[in-house]
Amino acid sequence: MVQIFKFLLKSSKSPGRAHFRPTFLDNLRLAVRGGHGGNGLPKYGGVGGQGGCVYLVAKEGLTLRKVVQGLKDKRVAASSGEDSSKASIFGRRGLDQKIEVPVGVQVYDDQQKLIADLNEHAATCIVAGGGTGGCTATNFLGRPGENRTVNLDLKLIADVGLVGFPNAGKSTLLKAVSNAKPKIAAYPFTTIRPQIGTIEYSDLRSITVADLPGLIEGAHANFGMGHKFLKHIERTRLLVFMVDIFGFQLSPRHPHRDCLENVYALNKELELYDPSLLEKPSVLLLNKLDKEGAHEIFSKVKPFINDLASGLDQCPEELRPKQVLKFESIVPISAINSSKIPQVKSQLRRTLVRLAEKQFLADEDQVREKLKQRVSLVGPKIT
Ligand SMILES: Nc1nc2c(ncn2[C@@H]2O[C@H](COP(=O)(O)OP(=O)(O)OP(=O)(O)O)[C@@H](O)[C@H]2O)c(=O)[nH]1
Ligand SMILES: [Mg+2]
């Protein structure tokens, strides 16, 4: 009997539901404290050891969830410096505490002031300095270490960011072009956490693509976890807007937005969140061209999308942006049709190469300008 009960209890254990599983963590608050400085020894003029510091080091392949799992609790303290003694006039320094964090973490203090941007592997920053050891200047008393709370904000770093309303086919495209295996389904909000895939080319070059959860109107005001996702766009070099050629309707309570309205709506959301995002290079992919009637819609909307400013007066007021996006290219695609995928891959690469060249020339001009200024300051004046 007992055996049967045991069996029933075991078999009723179902796999965890998606919303009970740990979600993508992109924010972490830590209380950090530097070690106290050791006391000096007045009799011999001894100096106490400095307290250890708490520092962060960026490491590739880490997630904030792993960081949390690696910590005992969210308080990290370095050890105190040793007091000066007869045997050891200079007290030993306290041990440092190193916390490894994912690449892409920005560190903010309590007042939301940026302390450091750990955007490359092995980038380091001290978040809590140790107190100085006691010496004649401090009456031989060690000083307390820095004690504060820091906020770690993870922003993904990828070459390309996929932006669009739900169901546009972003994950389908990511799956088709890269090694990633995102979840795809015919309902909105299938993707609930950002995911990065890598596109590999035959010459071993690679591009990283971030598939972001679908935006909704009002994302700029943090509707539907808007900020949580929009912030990841900031670090991508190229924005790829993806729009369903047949438009999108969030629910029967919301109006149906056609393809052109979707473009304006995305434009407006980005503008309201951070207008500087509109300056980022962008490409527009119009998806689901394999469906019947899609080509007719495409030829109708193409002239308007090519010149978004001209159609502004017909755009519903709530979607009307002040500044319109300027796309590097507009590509009609079908994410489920593998024959079009190589074209999308090469398009993305070409655009990124062009951008890198532009950036290189701009940097070169800047360096030349700086050199000219230096020469005119140091050397003889050229008239
Ligand atoms: N006919 C057709 N269907 C597509 C195409 N691309 C995607 N779909 C379908 O559209 C639905 C949504 O695709 P997803 O890739 O999950 O869309 P998404 O943009 O990632 O959606 P969210 O994760 O909710 O933001 C799925 O049923 C796909 O099979 C396409 O090119 N043609
Ligand atoms: Mg998705």
Side-chain angles (χ1 to χ4, degrees):
M1 193 68 175
V2 174
Q3 291 298 326
I4 295 172
F5 267 121
K6 267 190 185 169
F7 172 76
L8 283 176
L9 278 173
K10 253 188 202 168
S11 61
S12 68
K13 205 175 165 198
S14 61
R17 292 252 189 93
H19 52 276
F20 292 144
R21 272 181 235 140
T23 50
F24 176 74
L25 191 65
D26 58 2
N27 206 289
L28 177 63
R29 247 172 108 76
L30 288 179
V32 286
R33 185 160 50 81
H36 203 290
N39 292 327
L41 192 63
K43 196 170 170 190
Y44 300 102
V47 180
Q50 192 185 343
C53 9
V54 181
Y55 66 101
L56 308 178
V57 186
K59 191 178 168 195
E60 259 157 30
L62 263 186
T63 61
L64 276 184
R65 172 110 9 232
K66 275 190 201 155
V67 176
V68 175
Q69 284 163 355
L71 295 173
K72 254 194 264 155
D73 59 12
K74 290 180 187 169
R75 288 165 201 279
V76 183
S79 59
S80 305
E82 261 180 20
D83 292 342
S84 159
S85 66
K86 233 189 326 182
S88 161
I89 291 291
F90 294 100
R92 214 179 292 156
R93 199 178 181 286
L95 285 180
D96 292 334
Q97 278 281 358
K98 174 172 114 175
I99 310 172
E100 287 179 328
V101 295
V103 175
V105 155
Q106 288 185 328
V107 190
Y108 291 90
D109 68 5
D110 259 347
Q111 276 78 44
Q112 286 310 308
K113 202 176 129 226
L114 184 70
I115 304 173
D117 189 355
L118 306 177
N119 57 5
E120 57 185 45
H121 182 74
T124 309
C125 87
I126 293 180
V127 281
T132 49
C135 58
T136 38
T138 62
N139 226 356
F140 293 96
L141 291 174
R143 290 268 163 87
E146 229 176 326
N147 187 5
R148 63 173 164 185
T149 317
V150 287
N151 208 2
L152 311 188
D153 191 19
L154 177 64
K155 288 180 182 168
L156 295 179
I157 301 177
D159 297 313
V160 177
L162 283 174
V163 191
F165 288 114
N167 246 3
K170 301 179 292 299
S171 305
T172 311
L173 180 75
L174 183 79
K175 192 172 175 184
V177 297
S178 76
N179 57 351
K181 294 181 183 64
K183 191 174 165 193
I184 295 165
Y187 51 80
F189 306 113
T190 314
T191 307
I192 50 169
R193 63 195 78 170
Q195 188 174 2
I196 292 191
T198 310
I199 308 180
E200 279 177 0
Y201 294 89
S202 50
D203 59 354
L204 300 180
R205 284 281 182 99
S206 61
I207 289 178
T208 48
V209 182
D211 175 20
L212 302 171
L215 293 179
I216 58 168
E217 283 175 43
H220 70 276
N222 214 8
F223 278 111
M225 295 201 275
H227 287 181
K228 220 170 151 55
F229 306 141
L230 275 168
K231 72 174 190 180
H232 295 293
I233 301 175
E234 293 170 27
R235 299 268 195 119
T236 50
R237 288 201 288 148
L238 173 69
L239 296 182
V240 172
F241 291 94
M242 195 154 194
V243 170
D244 186 333
I245 192 82
F246 291 93
F248 173 67
Q249 184 172 22
L250 184 59
S251 77
R253 284 187 293 120
H254 295 82
H256 177 269
R257 303 290 193 196
D258 66 26
C259 149
L260 189 59
E261 286 173 341
N262 269 339
V263 177
Y264 282 123
L266 288 172
N267 190 156
K268 174 107 183 171
E269 283 310 324
L270 257 63
E271 181 181 79
L272 289 173
Y273 175 71
D274 177 2
S276 70
L277 287 176
L278 302 184
E279 307 297 331
K280 264 189 191 285
S282 58
V283 169
L284 176 66
L285 301 182
L286 294 167
N287 193 24
K288 310 199 182 175
L289 262 283
D290 56 289
K291 283 187 167 178
E292 216 183 296
H295 283 277
E296 287 78 61
I297 303 178
F298 177 63
S299 45
K300 231 194 268 171
V301 295
K302 197 176 173 203
F304 292 102
I305 294 179
N306 269 329
D307 183 10
L308 285 175
S310 71
L312 268 180
D313 46 342
Q314 277 144 44
C315 163
E317 185 146 8
E318 68 275 17
L319 304 181
R320 200 174 298 160
K322 286 196 190 101
Q323 187 193 334
V324 288
L325 283 163
K326 218 157 166 29
F327 300 114
E328 302 274 326
S329 50
I330 300 164
V331 196
I333 64 156
S334 166
I336 55 166
N337 182 353
S338 55
S339 65
K340 278 270 183 180
I341 296 306
Q343 190 197 334
V344 178
K345 280 168 78 168
S346 54
Q347 176 79 38
L348 291 181
R349 179 160 172 187
R350 244 180 295 136
T351 316
L352 281 171
V353 167
R354 216 173 37 233
L355 293 175
E357 279 170 1
K358 251 195 219 167
Q359 184 66 41
F360 178 76
L361 290 177
D363 288 350
E364 211 179 41
D365 280 351
Q366 235 178 359
V367 170
R368 202 170 293 145
E369 199 52 45
K370 270 192 191 156
L371 272 177
K372 251 192 216 165
Q373 282 173 4
R374 279 244 174 114
V375 170
S376 64
L377 277 177
V378 179
K381 254 200 171 147
I382 305 159
T383 48

